[in-house]
Amino acid sequence: MKASRLPAVSSPTSPKNSRTLLRNSHRELNLLAEYHPGPLTAIALSVRAGARFDGAHPGLAHAAEHMLFQGTKQLDQRSLTELAAQLGGQHNAVTRHETITLTFECFNQEVERALWLLAEQYYHTCVEDHRWKVERHVIMDEIRSYASDPVHTLHEAAFCQFVGGALAHPLTGTLTSVRKMRSTHLQTFIERHFVHRATCLAVVGGVDPQQVLQTAERIFTAPPRPPIKPPRITPGRTGVLHRRQSGTVGYVIFFLEAPPHPRDFLAAAVALEVLGDAPDTRLFQEVRGRRGLGYAVDASSFWGPDWAVFTVAASCHPSDVSRLRDTIEAVCEAAANDGFSADEFERARKKLHFGYALLQDSLFDRAVSLAEDTLLGFPLPEEIEALTRDFTVDEIGAAWQRVWRGRKLVALLS
């Protein structure tokens, strides 16, 4: 088995700013190891098995993520938790629309045992009926806590309307759907989706990458099986979703369809950065600086290999919802009509590059980015930097115009 070095840089014995990235594919499981000097290592194990794959049981992927920590063939729930604590690591997981990602941070000398523990969860999780009955109550309490936040429920309802098909349901499921789940549903989901061709393992830290790859190849072994084909995403509803409540906070969210092709997505994302939520941006200046409509201003993006969404949002007093909606619309429309200045473009691009530089200083974020982006086919941060250097202000203006003139849904809370 051959490991290719990308790029050809110094070995782990080089100065402290050296970085080595090794990639390998072992029985179709993608393994990545990157050297960052220091006493700690971060590990991310990402599986293409997110909420998109829930099928007839909304919230199934999220529930499966919970059950990864409830016991395996060799470790019951308490033993698994105690072993993770003995390793001194931050042991967690997250379910997204496309992926479930297990993470671990530990001292370098504990990397082999941490990899073994993740492999035990990956291959040998046992969803026992009595453990599921306990954890089901925990998940339902989590759902109830989200439901108590009117802004969260507005965002969730609007997203599920705007993005149709396999993503048209809450990521965590509903109280009804979770009640109907059985332990057999969860066991089958894990066994069917946790296959090498749908998985990427990334290890970032102060351990020799070649040693990491050899260890991972020894621990992660299984007969090759085909991955599940991703269920279809379809366009959902456009228009207006208006919810009324008795609280003291109003909220406006614009959902905009974005292009999933990485270059087109990133060009539009630079435009979103100009409009966005930092103090120097157009939306912040207009909503907070000039009109004083509200405190929270937010611009976010969501991406999958065949779908993408931007959101532009802000809070206000419930009586100002119409004014806030008109303000956001006017700012976005002006950008679509007139484009952006060279100064705005350069500031936005520099802020993006600064964000990627920060990412390099976080072992955890770097490992997650390597695992998830590689698995889904999204450019890595250094590749994004190279792409954005080629953009022109006219290109990002045209990219924003296409987004703003495309499909949209406006969600209002008053």
Side-chain angles (χ1 to χ4, degrees):
M1 199 154 12
K2 240 172 151 183
S4 60
R5 188 178 295 246
L6 298 175
V9 296
S10 307
S11 72
T13 58
S14 298
K16 289 188 176 182
N17 63 352
S18 67
R19 181 163 64 81
T20 299
L21 173 62
L22 295 175
R23 297 174 184 252
N24 207 345
S25 181
H26 177 56
R27 295 189 182 178
E28 300 178 313
L29 184 148
N30 203 19
L31 306 176
L32 301 95
E34 186 174 273
Y35 177 75
H36 285 246
L40 301 177
T41 291
I43 307 169
L45 178 65
S46 190
V47 186
R48 187 91 189 269
R52 179 175 184 166
F53 297 84
D54 283 347
H57 303 282
L60 185 59
H62 175 252
E65 174 226 312
H66 275 246
M67 296 312 296
L68 293 172
F69 295 84
Q70 300 307 308
T72 70
K73 289 182 178 178
Q74 296 192 52
L75 302 169
D76 60 21
Q77 186 269 343
R78 186 179 181 87
S79 299
L80 191 156
T81 301
E82 289 177 349
L83 176 57
Q86 287 171 14
L87 299 180
Q90 298 294 320
H91 186 210
N92 213 332
V94 62
T95 302
R96 307 189 205 276
H97 293 107
E98 296 282 351
T99 59
I100 296 173
T101 300
L102 278 159
T103 55
F104 209 107
E105 291 182 275
C106 61
F107 288 110
N108 295 334
Q109 59 267 30
E110 301 292 0
V111 166
E112 182 169 352
R113 295 174 71 198
L115 287 171
W116 179 89
L117 179 56
L118 291 178
E120 181 70 9
Q121 292 174 277
Y122 180 81
Y123 293 118
H124 303 306
T125 287
C126 295
V127 185
E128 298 179 345
D129 197 53
H130 74 281
R131 286 304 314 166
W132 166 237
K133 288 177 180 177
V134 170
E135 196 63 22
R136 179 163 54 196
H137 289 290
V138 174
I139 295 170
M140 291 170 70
D141 186 60
E142 181 181 1
I143 293 170
R144 282 190 291 267
S145 71
Y146 291 142
S148 67
D149 180 349
V151 173
H152 176 89
T153 56
L154 177 73
H155 189 287
E156 183 176 77
F159 185 95
C160 293
Q161 287 190 24
F162 188 61
V163 183
L167 287 179
H169 63 270
L171 192 147
T172 54
T174 65
L175 293 176
T176 300
S177 67
V178 171
R179 278 193 196 98
K180 291 181 179 179
M181 284 181 205
R182 299 293 177 263
S183 58
T184 52
H185 298 145
L186 294 154
Q187 189 73 59
T188 300
F189 180 90
I190 294 169
E191 291 174 355
R192 188 65 191 90
H193 288 80
F194 281 46
V195 300
H196 283 191
R197 284 176 60 191
T199 304
C200 184
L201 173 68
V203 183
V204 178
V207 180
D208 185 335
Q210 196 66 257
Q211 178 186 339
V212 170
L213 291 180
Q214 292 170 358
T215 301
E217 287 168 357
R218 174 167 47 82
I219 292 173
F220 285 85
T221 59
R225 288 188 291 140
I228 297 291
K229 183 179 178 180
R232 191 162 169 249
I233 306 298
T234 59
R237 283 176 48 190
T238 57
V240 178
L241 171 65
H242 195 173
R243 289 195 166 181
R244 300 189 184 277
Q245 43 98 35
S246 59
T248 58
V249 175
Y251 213 78
V252 177
I253 316 173
F254 281 76
F255 285 78
L256 309 171
E257 187 173 65
H261 184 274
R263 183 182 180 93
D264 297 335
F265 175 83
L266 290 167
V270 175
L272 188 67
E273 188 72 31
V274 174
L275 291 167
D277 48 20
D280 67 307
T281 60
R282 291 191 185 185
L283 281 166
F284 189 100
Q285 283 294 310
E286 190 67 16
V287 171
R288 284 188 57 169
R290 196 169 85 82
R291 297 178 183 263
L293 283 171
Y295 172 74
V297 180
D298 180 74
S300 300
S301 61
F302 305 84
W303 183 89
D306 53 354
W307 65 278
V309 172
F310 290 157
T311 61
V312 177
S315 66
C316 64
H317 189 274
S319 64
D320 287 330
V321 163
S322 293
R323 284 184 62 211
L324 178 59
R325 174 186 175 177
D326 292 344
T327 299
I328 294 173
E329 198 157 35
V331 171
C332 294
E333 180 69 20
N337 289 334
D338 304 328
F340 305 96
S341 71
D343 286 344
E344 287 177 317
F345 171 52
E346 287 303 325
R347 283 202 311 272
R349 189 160 57 174
K350 188 169 184 178
K351 282 190 287 185
L352 286 171
H353 291 175
F354 181 75
Y356 300 137
L358 288 177
L359 183 65
Q360 297 289 356
D361 287 336
S362 168
L363 298 180
F364 176 86
D365 291 337
R366 179 64 179 171
V368 171
S369 176
L370 280 175
E372 294 184 345
D373 292 349
T374 300
L375 182 63
L376 297 175
F378 193 74
L380 296 177
E382 55 270 28
E383 296 168 332
I384 293 173
E385 283 197 83
L387 272 173
T388 57
R389 283 193 208 104
D390 293 336
F391 290 157
T392 65
V393 67
D394 290 338
E395 184 177 0
I396 70 161
W400 176 253
Q401 187 177 76
R402 287 191 294 270
V403 168
W404 182 249
R405 300 277 188 260
R407 293 179 63 252
K408 63 170 71 76
L409 181 147
V410 186
L412 310 172
L413 179 70
S414 66

